[in-house]
Amino acid sequence: MLATRQPVLRRFWYPVMPAALVDQGPQPFTLLDERIVLWKDGNGRYAAMADRCPHRSAALSKGWVDGNALVCPYHGWAYDGRGICVRVPQRPDSGGLKGTAVQSFACTERYGHVWVALDEPLAPIPDWTEESDPAYRRIDQFYEPWNCAGFRLMENSFDNAHIHFVHRRTFGDINDPNPPQPTIERFDYGFVARSDVPVFNTDLQKKNLRDDGAFTVRHITAHWYMPFLRRLHIRYPNGLDHIIVTAATPIADGSCQVVQFCFRNDTETEAAAADIIAFDRRVTEEDREVLEGTDFDAPLDMNSGVERHMPSDQPGLLMRRMLLELLAAHGETEQTRHYAGRQAAE
Amino acid sequence: MPFSRKMKVTYPNGLVHIIMTLTAPIDDRQSQVIQFLLRSDSEADAPAENLIKFDRQVTHEDMTILAACDDDVPLSLVGELHMPTDRPGLEMRRMLGKLLAEHGEAEVRRGAPVPQPLASAAE
């Protein structure tokens, strides 16, 4: 599937940037090949628009905010958050231009990040109660582009078999390569997978988890929110919650912006945020090393013969099936280079 | 036409400052900018270094904006919005369109079919 060629993927919310970055001034981002500018107006409202002045195509992200308007750096034409031109300095009496001059997109702030939907969203941004629960803290972990398809990171997140190979140096046990099968329940635009995975406990993790055992068990409740968002809730035997939210926000067919934060029900004294990030950093680097070498045009049709499968691939296969159903429900077929001209539903 | 300009500025005291900006198209996205000055004063009057310093700052300001603009500029007046001060740029578009027409060419935009190269005489 080539993400930028499936218009229905424009109908989902994606976290695109830490709000703190947008607070510093207008910022450019590329979402599904669409160049957008993110900015905050004088009333504190975040806005997302095409990063292109309709006059001479200058990047509005190089401009500045004046009150509730974003000012183009080239000739000073100014736009409100809906993309309406409210001022043309060379025509001071005109009051701007009639109609929408710059395309604007749905934009809001949640969990310390600015989220954007390019077309009318099909599903809301998930509610995660830990954000407002005083028992939990949020730790912002990563914000960086990866050269792989968002889908590859999603299927990786639910693939318990990769742990014992990709993460053999951090928490996997290469001598116990056959993981238990998760139980999976579907919901609208996603699923939840539950499993208990025995893992190796490194020295850094003994400290982070406050568990001295050589091995521990991850009680995993993992949500997949279509198409490129997951929440991985790991509960350790001592009651510690490590809840990782990871978005693989699609930049283009072959790249995604990894946005990751976690919720923890312990304190900074018990486990320093820097140590928690350090461990997850090692783990994500291990994933990145492998995923950036994968084909970004992941075939959704599991019978195409392009990829081979095994029983532990079940979550990733369900993702493929559900994405194909989504495409079909919106009158689309899978766009791919693998079986050009063939209908995926055949 | 198409990518060079001579800008002569005469100041009230008679000083002549001529900026030559010659732009060679490398490809659709990149241009080699060659700029030199012709001045009616001497090095003792105004050191070249100071003159370059000011123009360096000005060209950097332009480059920041222009490097982020769409390189596939439409010659047709639709596709961009215009205002009265754009008149010179609009005249350029008109004249380039006329040049293309006189030589049997049509404007080629990205995404439009690219004309096939002419077969060489030997074929």
Side-chain angles (χ1 to χ4, degrees):
Chain A
M1 176 181 71
L2 299 168
T4 66
R5 303 200 201 161
Q6 310 284 181
V8 70
L9 298 186
R10 296 168 57 92
R11 300 190 60 182
F12 291 89
W13 285 105
Y14 299 102
V16 292
M17 200 172 284
L21 242 148
V22 185
D23 293 350
Q24 292 169 20
Q27 303 290 336
F29 190 83
T30 302
L31 180 59
L32 285 167
D33 262 352
E34 189 96 49
R35 284 176 52 205
I36 60 175
V37 52
L38 306 163
W39 60 288
K40 184 160 95 162
D41 74 16
N43 290 333
R45 285 171 55 98
Y46 291 94
M49 314 192 308
D51 192 11
R52 181 188 175 103
C53 180
H55 174 224
R56 288 296 175 266
S57 83
L60 296 172
S61 56
K62 290 180 177 289
W64 59 87
V65 177
D66 180 8
N68 287 329
L70 176 61
V71 179
C72 176
Y74 205 173
H75 301 88
W77 293 22
Y79 304 91
D80 70 12
R82 297 165 299 169
I84 292 170
C85 178
V86 293
R87 192 163 65 245
V88 174
Q90 296 77 11
R91 307 293 305 278
D93 301 330
S94 70
L97 301 171
K98 284 198 181 71
T100 304
V102 178
Q103 192 180 4
S104 66
F105 307 103
C107 181
T108 192
E109 189 269 335
R110 290 287 294 276
Y111 311 108
H113 289 76
V114 175
W115 298 62
V116 173
L118 294 174
D119 287 322
E120 198 190 343
L122 291 168
I125 298 171
D127 283 317
W128 297 310
T129 55
E130 293 83 6
E131 176 74 7
S132 54
D133 184 339
Y136 290 83
R137 54 182 168 146
R138 191 186 76 228
I139 300 170
D140 292 347
Q141 296 189 297
F142 310 121
Y143 180 69
E144 63 203 15
W146 284 23
N147 289 316
C148 71
F151 180 81
R152 289 298 188 193
L153 180 49
M154 288 298 110
E155 69 169 347
N156 165 275
S157 303
F158 292 82
D159 166 9
N160 286 339
H162 89 284
I163 293 171
H164 304 297
F165 286 83
V166 175
H167 304 304
R168 62 191 178 277
R169 295 182 197 89
T170 42
F171 65 105
D173 179 3
I174 203 163
N175 297 312
D176 185 15
N178 194 20
Q181 286 280 29
T183 58
I184 301 181
E185 266 175 72
R186 286 178 64 154
F187 55 82
D188 283 347
Y189 304 107
F191 65 62
V192 52
R194 294 184 173 85
S195 52
D196 294 332
V197 182
V199 298
F200 176 62
N201 209 14
T202 59
D203 287 344
L204 179 57
Q205 279 300 80
K206 283 175 186 159
K207 202 167 116 192
N208 283 337
L209 306 178
R210 292 172 306 289
D211 178 342
D212 289 333
F215 291 88
T216 184
V217 180
R218 291 180 163 196
H219 303 290
I220 292 175
T221 307
H223 286 73
W224 175 53
Y225 304 95
M226 227 181 223
F228 306 130
L229 179 64
R230 67 107 189 230
R231 173 191 149 110
L232 175 67
H233 183 160
I234 304 170
R235 173 157 293 170
Y236 289 98
N238 63 3
L240 174 68
D241 281 337
H242 183 72
I243 302 167
I244 307 176
V245 173
T246 309
T249 297
I251 297 169
D253 291 327
S255 60
C256 59
Q257 186 79 15
V258 171
V259 181
Q260 183 166 309
F261 53 86
C262 74
F263 295 113
R264 297 269 298 202
N265 61 346
D266 58 3
T267 64
E268 182 68 17
T269 330
E270 290 172 311
D275 286 341
I276 293 168
I277 293 171
F279 179 75
D280 285 350
R281 174 83 280 172
R282 285 174 60 194
V283 173
T284 48
E285 282 303 316
E286 289 166 345
D287 283 322
R288 182 181 189 154
E289 180 72 16
V290 172
L291 295 179
E292 290 196 334
T294 60
D295 184 352
F296 59 80
D297 189 4
L300 297 186
D301 178 359
M302 66 186 101
N303 299 316
S304 66
V306 177
E307 293 180 326
R308 309 291 289 266
H309 311 288
M310 60 178 170
S312 59
D313 294 328
Q314 197 205 345
L317 296 182
L318 181 56
M319 284 179 183
R320 286 166 170 75
R321 199 159 34 232
M322 287 175 68
L323 283 169
L324 281 176
E325 286 171 18
L326 175 78
L327 298 185
H330 292 268
E332 295 180 30
T333 55
E334 183 191 1
Q335 301 300 301
T336 168
R337 299 171 308 189
H338 291 300
Y339 23 94
R342 238 190 72 191
Q343 295 289 305
E346 271 176 3
Chain B
M1 213 185 245
F3 308 129
S4 291
R5 67 108 186 233
K6 169 181 172 173
M7 186 169 78
K8 180 176 175 182
V9 185
T10 308
Y11 290 97
N13 62 1
L15 175 68
V16 177
H17 177 91
I18 299 169
I19 306 180
M20 300 293 302
T21 308
L22 316 174
T23 314
I26 297 170
D27 55 29
D28 289 332
R29 292 174 195 277
Q30 289 188 91
S31 308
Q32 187 73 35
V33 174
I34 300 157
Q35 184 164 306
F36 55 85
L37 286 180
L38 301 167
R39 293 267 301 196
S40 64
D41 57 4
S42 67
E43 182 68 17
D45 295 327
E49 195 189 331
N50 290 352
L51 299 173
I52 293 170
K53 203 171 159 190
F54 179 75
D55 284 349
R56 173 78 288 175
Q57 196 185 338
V58 173
T59 49
H60 267 155
E61 286 166 351
D62 282 324
M63 194 172 77
T64 306
I65 305 272
L66 298 180
C69 286
D70 191 342
D71 53 271
D72 187 9
V73 184
L75 294 186
S76 144
L77 301 197
V78 292
E80 291 180 328
L81 300 180
H82 311 286
M83 60 178 170
T85 54
D86 294 327
R87 196 157 62 92
L90 298 184
E91 186 59 24
M92 285 179 187
R93 286 165 172 74
R94 235 181 328 262
M95 288 174 69
L96 284 168
K98 191 160 165 271
L99 175 79
L100 297 185
E102 282 167 4
H103 292 269
E105 294 181 30
E107 182 191 6
V108 178
R109 302 287 313 276
R110 196 161 290 136
V114 176
Q116 293 303 305
L118 297 172
S120 75
E123 283 172 341

